[in-house]
Amino acid sequence: MERVQTAFANLSANSQESELFRLRAMVDQVPDYLFVKNRRSQFIVANKAVAIDNGFSDPRELVGKTDFDIHPHENAVALFAAEQEIMRSAQPHIDMEEHLPNIGEKGKWVLTSKLPMRDRQGEVIGLVGIARDITERKRADAQRAGQARLLEMIATGSALSDVLNGLLHEVESFLDDASASVLLIDELDRCLRFGAAPSLPPGYCAAVDGLPIGPNAGACGTAAFRKQSVIIEDTATDPLWDAYRHLAGSDTLRSCWAIPIQTQGGTVLGILVVYSMHMCQPNAAELELIDMAASIAAIAIERKRYEDRIQFMAHHDVLTDLPNRAVLDGCIASAIDRAERDDRWAILAFVDLDRFKQVNDTYGHSAGDDLLRTVAKRLKNCLRSSDTAVRLGGDEFLLLLADHPKSVDVALSTVHRIQTALKSEIMLSGEKYTLSCSIGVAICPQDGTDAETLIANADQAMYEVKQAGGNGFRLFRPDPENPKAKGDADRPGVNG
């Protein structure tokens, strides 16, 4: 009988040990944190997930330790205070978000529930905790919040540079050891211009401003040419980086990922570039982040282009791209002020094309539009940077020659040069056409000291040229019987 009792006792002990082993094995397979602490917040039991994340190979190594042994002091103080309150009040805390900064490269977020643990008499002797990793969810929430901030900046009209810098800060905050930049397409020069790069050295930013676009023009120029992403895993060996390796050491910019910023229609607006200190390729999550950033950049750049175009159209003629009348008054006022200050002249020339209606009737309105665009280009080529050419409408143009010497001969020579330039032959519908024009000239201050008077007097002088048969120019000659007319009645008119 005694042998039987001993056998049953051994069996019972083995069974309990086996049950505990199975329980431990099951608990250690759970990816969530599972732990039990005593009243002093010391670990009594912890599963493998808790141990591994905190740098221990065996959960038993945690027994007797507190959060002060494994977490930064400030973080441990907060965890300890919360746990002591749970045990003091005997009230559970469910689904608390806790940040564990020492776990992983950027810390770990967990959703934790902690419940008071009681003995058989109902006294609280510790707590039981379970925590689930929500780092990816918090990351996604932060990304959405960042995207919302950026879209709000775009919607409220923030400067493009501010939007792009904010966007790149967001990208860099989610990528390890990365620096990001945006290069913008310069359609006129067919190159890439610096847009934003909050973390790159100013010297490097200046060096990449003006990078060419082509099939072998580095990661950025090639991505713009191909309209496809170019991923350079190792800038020290990739042939695309050969011509640009001198711009920055390969130990600093070891990998380079260039992603086109495109419209829905496929037009490339710029390049989003991510540099890493390590030799690497982007993973799926990083590519998704970068693609989203490129999409937001496209929205911001398109909006800026649209706003610039609206602003341009409000102050320029759509057909010729010359400034319109809305710009003229301010330019004249500024030129008059400078003329009075520097004892110079401001000259206004009113240009009207001769027989323009015949061009439309003979060659068609499309040819007429071509003629007006040609006239605009020729006028701009005749002027200095301080001068202004304006299209009033139809075939009428105004030229403001600011800061001009006080000499009638020089003024006439300038106008004659402009008229000669306009007379050059032009091809209309495959035929040669010789243009002529009538020009009236008013000079500030003698012919007026405000825009309205100068324009009216230049118009009057032009009308006199028209009445005389056109194809010439004339200085304004005031009518002595009209007291409102201003100017020197002794000055001669000139036909050219």
Side-chain angles (χ1 to χ4, degrees), residues 206-447:
V208 299
D209 186 47
L211 285 177
I213 296 172
N216 296 292
C220 303
T222 304
F225 178 80
R226 295 179 184 173
K227 299 185 179 182
Q228 295 177 346
S229 297
V230 173
I231 306 298
I232 294 181
E233 182 177 4
D234 186 2
T235 59
T237 60
D238 195 294
L240 279 178
W241 199 257
D242 286 347
Y244 307 96
R245 199 166 288 122
H246 66 283
L247 296 180
S250 59
D251 57 333
T252 304
L253 308 179
R254 192 58 190 273
S255 65
C256 176
W257 314 334
I259 289 79
I261 300 169
Q262 296 177 277
T263 66
Q264 290 292 329
T267 300
V268 178
L269 304 171
I271 302 295
L272 175 62
V273 196
V274 176
Y275 300 98
S276 175
M277 295 173 60
H278 308 289
M279 190 173 65
C280 58
Q281 291 193 12
N283 58 35
E286 290 168 338
L287 279 177
E288 182 179 358
L289 170 68
I290 297 169
D291 286 342
M292 178 59 70
S295 297
I296 293 176
I299 294 172
I301 296 169
E302 276 198 288
R303 181 181 177 90
K304 179 63 166 59
R305 285 190 171 190
Y306 177 77
E307 290 174 345
D308 288 348
R309 185 59 184 166
I310 293 297
Q311 183 71 10
F312 183 86
M313 291 173 63
H315 298 93
H316 290 78
D317 173 54
V318 176
L319 179 64
T320 63
D321 283 347
L322 290 178
N324 59 22
R325 178 60 194 270
V327 177
L328 184 62
D329 288 349
C331 292
I332 294 177
S334 177
I336 290 172
D337 288 342
R338 293 201 305 273
E340 292 177 347
R341 181 191 65 207
D342 300 332
D343 194 27
R344 306 276 281 180
W345 278 353
I347 297 176
L348 200 67
F350 199 118
V351 180
D352 187 279
L353 306 185
D354 296 332
R355 298 177 299 280
F356 180 70
K357 184 177 182 302
Q358 294 180 13
V359 173
N360 283 332
D361 293 343
T362 303
Y363 301 101
H365 288 278
S366 177
D369 290 345
D370 289 341
L371 177 60
L372 293 173
R373 281 189 284 263
T374 299
V375 169
K377 290 178 182 178
R378 291 178 178 178
L379 289 176
K380 286 191 288 188
N381 289 336
C382 290
L383 303 182
R384 304 164 299 170
S385 60
S386 59
D387 301 332
T388 305
V390 172
R391 183 189 177 204
L392 293 180
D395 60 342
E396 295 181 335
F397 298 84
L398 274 175
L399 305 182
L400 173 62
L401 310 177
D403 193 29
H404 201 278
K406 296 177 70 173
S407 166
V408 173
D409 290 339
V410 174
L412 295 178
S413 175
T414 300
V415 176
H416 183 266
R417 176 172 53 83
I418 293 171
Q419 185 190 42
T420 301
L422 292 180
K423 282 184 176 182
S424 300
E425 287 185 341
I426 180 175
M427 297 298 295
L428 293 179
S429 300
E431 298 182 18
K432 292 182 179 180
Y433 180 82
T434 301
L435 176 69
S436 68
C437 61
S438 301
I439 304 176
V441 180
I443 299 174
C444 170
Q446 50 262 50
D447 296 335

Side-chain angles (χ1 to χ4, degrees), residues 179-229:
S179 298
S181 70
V182 168
L183 298 174
L184 303 174
I185 295 288
D186 185 329
E187 294 179 332
L188 182 62
D189 294 331
R190 291 299 299 163
C191 65
L192 294 168
R193 295 294 182 187
F194 171 78
S199 301
L200 289 172
Y204 182 79
C205 297
V208 299
D209 186 47
L211 285 177
I213 296 172
N216 296 292
C220 303
T222 304
F225 178 80
R226 295 179 184 173
K227 299 185 179 182
Q228 295 177 346
S229 297

Side-chain angles (χ1 to χ4, degrees), residues 37 68 98 114 141 185 245-246 266 327 356 464:
K37 293 183 177 180
F68 288 96
E98 295 179 339
K114 296 178 180 179
D141 289 345
I185 295 288
R245 199 166 288 122
H246 66 283
V327 177
F356 180 70
E464 292 175 2

